[in-house]
Amino acid sequence: MEWKMRPRPVAVALALALAVSAPALAACGNGSDSPGAATTAASADPGEPQVGGSVTFGVAVETTGLDPTISSAVGASGATELASLYDVVLRYNPESKKYENGTAQDLTSNDDYTEWTLKLRPGIKFSDGTPYDADAVRLSIERHRAPQSRSLARDYVQTIDTMTVVDPLTLKFSLVEAWSSFPYLLTTQAGFITSPTAVAKLGEKLNTEPVGAGAGPFILESYTPKNSIVLKRNPDYWDGQVYLDSLKFVNFQGGTLTYEAFRSGQIQAGFLREATASFDAGEAKEPGYVATLGSGDILAINSAEGRPGHDRRVRQALAAAIDPKVLSDRVYDGKAIPNSSPFPAEFPWGPDVPGTTFDLAKARSLVEEAKADGWDGRLDLVASSAPLATKWAVTVQALLKQAGIEVDVREVDQSALTTAIFVKHDFDVAQSAFGIPSSDGAYIQLQENIGHADNRFGFHDEAFSAALAEVRTADTDAKRTAAYKKVALAWNESVPAVATASINSRIVWVPNLHGVKPTSQVALLFGKAWLSR
């Protein structure tokens, strides 16, 4: 049953219907993916689902845990694992551009999108036997909102003013301000609902041993950090038969090694985020799913006071010094999608504003100005130690040196990189990504990373914030396009980060794997996945 709104059609449904985004289910790839090219879905009827078999999935980055308020909880790291354990309140369908019900039975809004009412399906229980009800949803979301929360959803759940339990299955959300795309929130971290009983019982163990905490199609068998996460079928899943016996998540430290593991049969599915591996898998016409994301590669900038990036001239110099095509050629053998705009080329509300421009003379001039005012001209660049990431960091170092900037590269493993950026904020510049999708998630990615007052990159710009506020309340396609144009112009002037490439985030799987459903943030739902034999 598709998610629908009553008593009247609302703008979010209209916007999604008008969108023509890149993500598509794919039975065959396209190795020469041009920016925004989508592969097509076409496969023979595999017949009736069969019970049995296991799938090992190669993740892009190891998750930071299994507690939704701690896990990195995005498609490349954690969201697929969490959705398997906890299920989702709503699912975003990138083919239909609509929201569909997960544990929700219905979601409706008032006329001005300041109140939303969620109705849950009856009879759902967590795997500890306790009811999956409105109060459980309320308490779960409150964990993300808590002052001490480390959740990546903490920023956008602050849009909720109050949550009122109307009856055991009905929860009313009153928002601080109008938000026409509020349903998106329930497809992401905040939509992975945890059992209040399990949370109280497990404490910190919830992050590594979430026994009984979810209502998803799988339950935890084992979790060994730096090694694997193994889930087994939930025999009491509320949505009926789960076909796979087990689901295992492993990490091979980069897309190239992940793709090699897939080709050799070590894994049955894998997330290929790096441009070269994604391109090669497309050339081989591997089955799977691909989503083109803007700002898939960025040079993240710490704009906090006391850091070099607090000076707008330094940020502008970084943008002018970096040539996205050089990075594509030297790092990815020309297989990346060079793009200095934060948005992918096929963005449905395309602002028609080019990104920043490579201009070495301008970069050198800005660097000299900043040095004259006391900057020593040095930056600390934190990057992943994965092979292609190292190559990327060295190339950025060389490009910035041409502009008069000395860069000290500090290599760490991928989980330490996440901690350095998002937890400790211990960097001047860093290798990262925003991953701007062609959906309502674009607003979320911008807002949670750089849009709010206490954002993780210390970035503040009034014009940028005002433009994002217009995106939040826009209720027509034309209004969104106009608002995103202001966002793009403010990005170019204030440079919150240096976008260097859009990226085809590609998930490949074996031809006999069926029933996998994509959702927000390039995450997958395996609840009805099965293997034909």
Side-chain angles (χ1 to χ4, degrees):
M1 176 180 177
E2 286 186 350
W3 165 83
K4 60 184 183 299
M5 301 192 58
R6 296 194 303 268
R8 56 190 292 275
V10 297
V12 63
L14 172 63
L16 290 167
L18 292 172
V20 283
S21 59
L25 283 174
C28 58
N30 177 4
S32 56
D33 287 315
S34 58
T39 51
T40 56
S43 61
D45 182 0
E48 292 297 313
Q50 300 175 37
V51 178
S54 300
V55 168
T56 299
F57 186 97
V59 300
V61 181
E62 183 185 19
T63 181
T64 47
L66 299 178
D67 179 344
T69 68
I70 296 175
S71 170
S72 30
V74 293
S77 174
T80 297
E81 298 93 305
L82 295 185
S84 301
L85 283 168
Y86 297 101
D87 220 330
V88 291
V89 176
L90 294 175
R91 172 207 171 206
Y92 176 68
N93 184 331
E95 285 193 297
S96 67
K97 318 295 187 296
K98 294 180 180 179
Y99 295 100
E100 298 172 350
N101 290 325
T103 58
Q105 181 172 288
D106 198 19
L107 180 67
T108 58
S109 78
N110 63 355
D111 288 346
D112 64 2
Y113 321 118
T114 57
E115 286 189 354
W116 293 80
T117 301
L118 171 68
K119 187 78 172 179
L120 296 169
R121 297 177 188 265
I124 300 177
K125 291 186 177 181
F126 293 103
S127 53
D128 64 4
T130 59
Y132 187 113
D133 58 16
D135 200 46
V137 174
R138 179 186 67 82
L139 291 169
S140 184
I141 293 176
E142 287 289 5
R143 295 184 66 235
H144 293 274
R145 284 159 48 91
Q148 70 276 16
S149 170
R150 295 159 51 189
S151 170
L152 292 184
R154 183 175 181 269
D155 302 327
Y156 56 90
V157 294
Q158 302 303 328
T159 59
I160 301 170
D161 184 23
T162 61
M163 291 181 283
T164 305
V165 174
V166 178
D167 61 47
L169 295 178
T170 307
L171 183 65
K172 178 179 288 187
F173 299 91
S174 296
L175 307 186
V176 175
E177 297 176 290
W179 186 12
S180 61
S181 303
F182 173 78
Y184 183 85
L185 180 147
L186 296 175
T187 70
T188 62
Q189 296 94 337
F192 303 138
I193 306 303
T194 50
S195 158
T197 302
V199 169
K201 177 181 178 181
L202 296 172
E204 292 185 359
K205 284 187 176 181
L206 179 68
N207 198 42
T208 54
E209 302 176 42
V211 177
F218 295 89
I219 54 180
L220 182 68
E221 182 171 306
S222 67
Y223 175 28
T224 308
K226 307 291 185 184
N227 187 318
S228 67
I229 298 168
V230 182
L231 310 181
K232 60 184 178 181
R233 178 193 298 121
N234 180 357
D236 301 315
Y237 183 44
W238 67 268
D239 199 22
Q241 179 70 57
V242 177
Y243 303 112
L244 294 177
D245 291 331
S246 64
L247 186 57
K248 183 177 182 179
F249 298 91
V250 295
N251 177 233
F252 290 92
Q253 295 292 317
T256 299
L257 294 177
T258 300
Y259 188 42
E260 289 176 1
F262 176 76
R263 295 285 288 176
S264 67
Q266 294 180 64
I267 59 177
Q268 290 72 53
F271 197 116
L272 310 179
R273 198 193 156 277
E274 293 170 353
T276 303
S278 177
F279 183 94
D280 291 345
E283 284 280 286
K285 303 186 184 301
E286 306 287 6
Y289 168 71
V290 60
T292 304
L293 306 177
S295 303
D297 266 359
I298 65 166
L299 180 69
I301 304 171
N302 190 340
S303 298
E305 190 170 355
R307 295 283 183 171
H310 186 66
D311 188 331
R312 179 180 292 211
R313 294 169 301 181
V314 173
R315 302 198 303 270
Q316 292 174 336
L318 294 172
I322 293 177
D323 186 343
K325 188 175 186 310
V326 169
L327 281 170
S328 175
D329 291 342
R330 293 185 186 177
V331 181
Y332 303 116
D333 299 325
K335 297 175 181 178
I337 307 171
N339 185 10
S340 61
S341 165
F343 305 107
E346 68 291 333
F347 191 63
W349 306 288
D352 195 27
V353 174
T356 54
T357 304
F358 171 65
D359 185 337
L360 190 55
K362 177 182 177 181
R364 287 171 174 164
S365 176
L366 289 164
V367 168
E368 288 305 315
E369 286 183 28
K371 284 181 176 179
D373 285 340
W375 178 40
D376 65 3
R378 302 194 71 89
L379 291 173
D380 170 44
L381 168 58
V382 185
S384 165
S385 56
L388 271 181
T390 296
K391 199 172 181 181
W392 185 92
V394 170
T395 304
V396 167
Q397 182 185 44
L399 289 171
L400 295 183
K401 187 176 181 63
Q402 291 182 144
I405 302 171
E406 294 295 327
V407 176
D408 300 311
V409 176
R410 176 160 49 103
E411 293 185 4
V412 297
D413 66 33
Q414 293 187 33
S415 122
L417 177 62
T418 300
T419 299
I421 297 173
F422 300 117
V423 179
K424 295 183 177 179
H425 313 295
D426 180 23
F427 68 101
D428 289 334
V429 291
Q431 178 189 40
S432 191
F434 286 168
I436 308 297
S438 293
S439 70
D440 291 326
Y443 166 77
I444 289 295
Q445 293 300 327
L446 291 168
Q447 174 68 10
E448 70 174 320
N449 280 293
I450 51 179
H452 63 94
D454 189 29
N455 67 79
R456 59 189 60 135
F457 295 103
F459 173 76
H460 301 285
D461 181 78
E462 290 185 6
F464 190 87
S465 296
L468 268 186
E470 289 190 30
V471 171
R472 186 188 66 248
T473 56
D475 59 0
T476 68
D477 194 53
K479 288 180 181 178
R480 289 191 179 197
T481 299
Y484 274 118
K485 182 174 183 176
K486 293 180 181 180
V487 169
L489 291 170
W491 173 289
N492 288 348
E493 176 62 25
S494 59
V495 192
V498 181
T500 63
S502 294
I503 193 162
N504 284 332
S505 284
R506 187 184 301 270
I507 302 173
V508 294
W509 56 66
V510 290
N512 65 322
L513 176 60
H514 315 282
V516 181
K517 293 183 177 181
T519 184
S520 297
Q521 299 183 326
V522 203
L524 299 180
L525 304 178
F526 278 90
K528 293 299 176 181
W530 60 281
L531 292 164
S532 57
R533 294 183 287 279

